[in-house]
Amino acid sequence: MILTGLSFWTRLRLIDRSNIVIWDEAHFGKFGSHYIEHEYYTDVHPPLGKLLVAFSGWLANFDGAFKFESGAEYPEGMDYRTMRIFSASWGAMMVPLAYLTARKADYSILASILGATMVLCDTAYLTISRFVLLDSMLLFFTCLTCYSLFGFHHQQDHSFSLAWWSWLSLIGVSLGCVLSVKWVGLFAVGLVGIYTLQDLWDKLADMEMSRKTYVSHWSARALCLIILPIIIYLVCFKIHFDLLYKSGTGDDDMSPLFQAHLEGNAFGESALELAFGSNITIRTLAPEQSLLHSHHHTYPEGSEQHQVTGYYFQDENNHWLIRLPRNDDINYKNFDITHNSRDYDDLGVRYINDGDIIRLNHMATSRNLHSHSFASPNSNNKQHFLEVSAYGDDERGDVKDNWKIEVVKHLDSYSGSRIHTMATHFRLRHVELGCLLAVTQKRLPVWGYYQMEIGCASNAEDINDLRTVWMAETNQHEKLSSPPQNTYKYHFFRDFWYLNKLMWRSNNALIPDPDKEDILSSTPTQWPMVGVGLRMCRWDDDTIKFFLLGNPMVWWTSFISVITFTILHITYIVREKRQIHDKEQARWNQSFSIGKSLLLGWFLHYIPFYIMGRVMYLHHYFPALYFSILLVPFLLDHFTAQSNGRQRFLIFGILMILVISNFIYFSPFSYGMDGPIDAYSGRSWMKWWNLTKKY
């Protein structure tokens, strides 16, 4: 209770001292406002943490109007204090969880207090918890996963009891939540997965366990550790989609079918079926999702005709008019243009069907989509991609302007031959050359404004090759009206999968820019030994400044404990091989599974960052730090097992005094520094901390 009280006091103290948007409050506060205003947005993280931010805004009677611009002052009357208190409460609960986890791991009282005190007094944990961010929630659910795992470990002799099921279910809930805040939660999933597989492997060797019981163990874990987290993850996205039903800043990132069901989005006004005379925009299904585009600029070589490119943004140069094909008596290989569909309605509208041959006329330049035997600019090889250009006009042109529509699939329930806007995926085959219109996934040089290259694929016959698959994104026709409401239906699992792929691509795209100096980013080698700090706001004299930096005594001893545990384990392996059996060896063997889980938790949450290409920041180390902190009292318990009470109290007391004194000394970094930063230069123990350097 004392530790919990101190935790809340340290986290909430002076929490509203700075009334400006600090660091990533600019992102996550803004996402919370989108939920309150129901405006659709996209982000690289799953929704749970941002839903909780929105909930804190609701508690604070926030109307969503303030958009959390970086460094902006909170408007008068906005209760940002309540939102910060909500976030800080998650961070405050880490301290009692650390104590309870240590007790579940059979730590001594002194060791449990030390572990909780180190979490309490870490200035990095304190600072990150005091703002409207996701990290305090991520850390809480990571701690809850560790606590529930050790709690379940204690129930191994009471399989299928109520307590056993409760702890196993709590692991599943915590995994579902930590994964739904950030994908870093996958490392916690890995920790639990490894523990579970080893546990089931050990049970396989139990000759007294029946096959039915063993299968039941597998079934219970599948239910609680796989199905339950998946359900929580899915429910978070369902709430996300249900709350964001209005058009917003993230529309363009989603599929046109999804956008069409959003209130205020113009895609829902597109005519359902394509017809000759339709004004359409066409988007590729390839990951780039470029729109078919042309402009007045020409290729510098090859045909020297107008360029045809892929362009991501909405633009008047993306519009194409579907016209009748060039009707000629030439035999187009296996295609007969005279068999074009004659599907008319009462208004004289002639609809486009699967297999129809069309001509696409670029509306801004009056040129026709065209291909010929020149190689595309980036391939220089006719066997791969031929050049696609815009050529001629409504009167002037030839049969190389003709393209055949080949339906790949319908996303809606329609099974006929007509082409539906947004719902029909199709390919465009050049009638004369037999190649397929495709995005080459290469960018044009400066003369093409670095837009995506469009070519005609000579050897692309794979129907699943998304480079050659297109859809009509918008469709306007003077004789066709907008479809009835809810024509373009929302499909949860389709949009869920689409959004998760988008998040994956966006995460992978967060790579360092070599042309820009990023004073906030860091590398994994800088983290464990407090080799770097992070400025969280402006650094001028008039701003209250916050510096994200760990307590050196906490971080240094934690990293040393990782190294010590590894060396110690190797030592005990050698001792056991040499048949040395004493109380020290027995004590190590008995408690090793706890230490191993903590080391594995640190390893899984830290080492993968060495192979990631994305930009990284100091806070990425915080989940790993928690596991290494708990290793410190674990090792002290082991080393002092033979010491008397006074010696143990002295050893633990000295370390706690060092941790607390470091915390007090560096606390201005967390509670805010006012005035010139040079006044705090004495606290810059290492020159690479970047505390006082001017930029």
Side-chain angles (χ1 to χ4, degrees):
M1 294 295 292
I2 293 173
L3 286 167
T4 304
L6 287 172
S7 182
F8 274 92
W9 180 76
T10 55
R11 268 64 183 167
L12 303 185
R13 178 176 175 265
L14 302 176
I15 199 167
D16 58 349
R17 186 181 180 196
S18 175
N19 66 340
I20 66 172
V21 177
I22 299 293
W23 195 40
D24 277 353
E25 285 187 329
H27 296 298
F28 303 120
K30 177 172 59 182
F31 296 149
S33 72
H34 286 319
Y35 282 117
I36 292 172
E37 294 193 316
H38 306 290
E39 296 175 344
Y40 192 80
Y41 76 93
T42 55
D43 180 41
V44 297
H45 301 302
L48 177 58
K50 294 164 291 184
L51 286 168
L52 291 171
V53 169
F55 179 66
S56 72
W58 178 80
L59 291 175
N61 294 315
F62 174 46
D63 61 5
F66 181 65
K67 297 307 179 186
F68 291 85
E69 297 296 330
S70 181
E73 286 191 15
Y74 285 104
E76 186 176 352
M78 180 179 170
D79 187 10
Y80 65 92
R81 184 173 183 270
T82 294
M83 297 181 70
R84 285 181 176 174
I85 288 174
F86 182 86
S87 295
S89 298
W90 297 95
M93 290 304 295
M94 290 172 60
V95 175
L97 269 179
Y99 178 83
L100 293 172
T101 301
R103 295 301 293 153
K104 282 294 179 186
D106 294 324
Y107 287 20
S108 67
I109 293 290
L110 272 177
S112 301
I113 292 174
L114 174 62
T117 301
M118 292 178 73
V119 174
L120 169 70
C121 294
D122 182 55
T123 46
Y125 281 163
L126 171 63
T127 308
I128 204 74
S129 299
R130 290 166 50 82
F131 301 103
V132 184
L133 306 171
L134 304 188
D135 299 271
S136 59
M137 304 165 197
L138 174 72
L139 289 167
F140 171 82
F141 289 122
T142 301
C143 297
L144 185 63
T145 301
C146 185
Y147 171 59
S148 55
L149 182 62
F150 287 169
F152 176 72
H153 183 73
H154 261 267
Q155 298 296 322
Q156 291 289 33
D157 295 332
H158 305 89
S159 297
F160 306 108
S161 65
L162 178 60
W164 186 90
W165 277 108
S166 298
W167 284 110
L168 187 61
S169 299
L170 184 58
I171 296 175
V173 170
S174 58
L175 287 179
C177 290
V178 73
L179 187 58
S180 298
V181 174
K182 287 187 177 182
W183 277 352
V184 173
L186 284 169
F187 302 144
V189 174
L191 172 63
V192 173
I194 292 172
Y195 170 88
T196 301
L197 290 175
Q198 182 175 345
D199 179 41
L200 292 171
W201 177 258
D202 292 340
K203 283 179 169 53
L204 184 62
D206 187 351
M207 304 305 296
E208 297 181 1
M209 183 176 293
S210 67
R211 182 177 299 178
K212 180 180 179 181
T213 302
Y214 186 68
V215 171
S216 297
H217 275 286
W218 273 94
S219 301
R221 285 156 176 78
L223 175 65
C224 294
L225 303 183
I226 298 177
I227 296 176
L228 182 56
I230 288 175
I231 289 174
I232 292 173
Y233 191 74
L234 289 171
V235 166
C236 290
F237 277 92
K238 184 66 169 67
I239 297 172
H240 172 80
F241 287 136
D242 287 349
L243 284 178
L244 303 176
Y245 55 82
K246 294 181 181 179
S247 179
T249 57
D251 289 13
D252 290 344
D253 295 323
M254 296 298 291
S255 68
L257 267 181
F258 176 85
Q259 295 182 54
H261 91 278
L262 296 174
E263 290 183 12
N265 190 290
F267 280 2
E269 301 172 3
S270 289
L272 177 62
E273 296 171 319
L274 268 61
F276 286 97
S278 284
N279 169 5
I280 64 173
T281 58
I282 308 174
R283 187 181 290 274
T284 176
L285 270 293
E288 295 80 10
Q289 298 192 354
S290 312
L291 287 154
L292 190 66
H293 179 95
S294 186
H295 39 231
H296 289 279
H297 305 283
T298 59
Y299 291 110
E301 297 178 351
S303 68
E304 299 184 1
Q305 296 171 3
H306 285 203
Q307 299 170 15
V308 172
T309 65
Y311 189 59
Y312 180 77
F313 302 100
Q314 299 290 342
D315 187 277
E316 63 179 7
N317 286 322
N318 298 336
H319 289 266
W320 301 82
L321 188 66
I322 302 180
R323 306 299 299 268
L324 292 171
R326 300 288 182 191
N327 200 344
D328 197 290
D329 294 333
I330 296 176
N331 177 19
Y332 304 118
K333 297 182 173 57
N334 296 322
F335 307 115
D336 187 351
I337 201 166
T338 62
H339 289 152
N340 235 25
S341 153
R342 297 295 188 268
D343 186 4
Y344 293 92
D345 67 4
D346 295 339
L347 297 175
V349 176
R350 180 173 165 184
Y351 293 100
I352 307 295
N353 289 267
D354 183 19
D356 278 358
I357 297 174
I358 63 172
R359 174 166 52 96
L360 290 173
N361 183 256
H362 188 245
M363 298 190 68
T365 62
S366 298
R367 299 293 191 267
N368 302 303
L369 187 68
H370 187 89
S371 189
H372 31 227
S373 57
F374 292 101
S376 63
N378 281 332
S379 69
N380 296 319
N381 189 335
K382 298 180 183 179
Q383 294 181 350
H384 294 102
F385 292 100
L386 299 175
E387 180 192 273
V388 173
S389 64
Y391 168 72
D393 51 36
D394 195 36
E395 300 296 330
R396 179 170 56 94
D398 55 36
V399 293
K400 293 180 180 179
D401 298 338
N402 293 337
W403 302 81
K404 180 184 178 183
I405 286 190
E406 299 176 350
V407 170
V408 175
K409 66 178 179 180
H410 297 283
L411 294 182
D412 51 12
S413 57
Y414 177 71
S415 59
S417 61
R418 290 185 181 181
I419 311 300
H420 282 191
T421 309
M422 294 181 277
T424 302
H425 292 176
F426 57 83
R427 301 190 296 182
L428 288 169
R429 186 179 295 276
H430 194 266
V431 174
E432 177 72 13
L433 302 174
C435 55
L436 294 172
L437 185 70
V439 58
T440 69
Q441 297 182 307
K442 296 179 181 178
R443 291 195 177 274
L444 293 169
V446 62
W447 52 259
Y449 303 96
Y450 303 109
Q451 295 174 13
M452 297 304 298
E453 181 186 42
I454 300 296
C456 201
S458 302
N459 57 357
E461 291 297 334
D462 184 359
I463 201 168
N464 295 315
D465 189 345
L466 295 181
R467 295 177 301 171
T468 65
V469 181
W470 304 80
M471 66 176 170
E473 185 172 85
T474 61
N475 174 22
Q476 303 297 325
H477 193 289
E478 60 181 8
K479 294 184 179 180
L480 296 177
S481 58
S482 299
Q485 192 174 7
N486 297 324
T487 297
Y488 301 108
K489 295 188 181 298
Y490 154 72
H491 190 287
F492 170 71
F493 285 104
R494 180 184 66 213
D495 295 325
F496 164 81
W497 182 245
Y498 185 97
L499 179 55
N500 276 264
K501 289 195 297 182
L502 174 66
M503 290 160 53
W504 177 262
R505 291 197 302 269
S506 300
N507 264 298
N508 289 337
L510 296 175
I511 58 176
D513 188 341
D515 297 327
K516 295 182 180 179
E517 182 183 7
D518 188 349
I519 63 172
L520 300 181
S521 64
S522 54
T523 61
T525 56
Q526 297 174 294
W527 300 338
M529 294 299 289
V530 203
V532 67
L534 188 150
R535 300 181 182 185
M536 301 184 72
C537 55
R538 297 190 301 266
W539 226 238
D540 56 89
D541 294 350
D542 297 329
T543 299
I544 297 175
K545 295 167 281 295
F546 298 91
F547 193 56
L548 188 63
L549 183 81
N551 182 329
M553 189 53 57
V554 173
W555 287 48
W556 290 342
T557 55
S558 299
F559 186 58
I560 291 170
S561 73
V562 170
I563 299 171
T564 303
F565 180 89
T566 304
I567 295 173
L568 204 59
H569 178 51
I570 295 172
T571 301
Y572 280 115
I573 290 176
V574 173
R575 282 166 56 90
E576 194 158 24
K577 294 293 185 183
R578 298 180 64 183
Q579 302 298 315
I580 299 175
H581 300 289
D582 52 23
K583 289 183 178 180
E584 188 177 356
Q585 183 75 42
R587 196 165 51 247
W588 179 261
N589 292 341
Q590 185 178 5
S591 62
F592 171 68
S593 62
I594 296 296
K596 181 185 67 175
S597 295
L598 293 173
L599 180 68
L600 184 61
W602 175 86
F603 183 91
L604 291 174
H605 284 82
Y606 174 56
I607 299 302
F609 286 102
Y610 280 94
I611 59 176
M612 291 184 185
R614 61 157 292 164
V615 63
M616 288 170 283
Y617 301 97
L618 179 62
H619 66 282
H620 287 134
Y621 184 64
F622 291 177
L625 173 67
Y626 180 77
F627 293 95
S628 62
I629 285 177
L630 291 183
L631 266 179
V632 176
F634 171 85
L635 289 173
L636 282 182
D637 253 356
H638 179 74
F639 287 131
T640 62
Q642 300 299 318
S643 303
N644 60 44
R646 180 176 295 181
Q647 291 172 330
R648 284 173 50 80
F649 189 83
L650 180 63
I651 293 170
F652 280 91
I654 290 174
L655 183 53
M656 275 194 271
I657 290 171
L658 290 173
V659 167
I660 294 170
S661 60
N662 266 238
F663 169 76
I664 294 171
Y665 186 67
F666 289 105
S667 61
F669 293 171
S670 302
Y671 292 120
M673 300 172 285
D674 52 9
I677 192 62
D678 290 339
Y680 299 89
S681 60
R683 289 174 171 82
S684 185
W685 285 2
M686 300 180 184
K687 62 181 181 181
W688 49 82
W689 277 3
N690 190 28
L691 179 63
T692 59
K693 185 178 179 180
K694 304 295 183 182
Y695 289 97

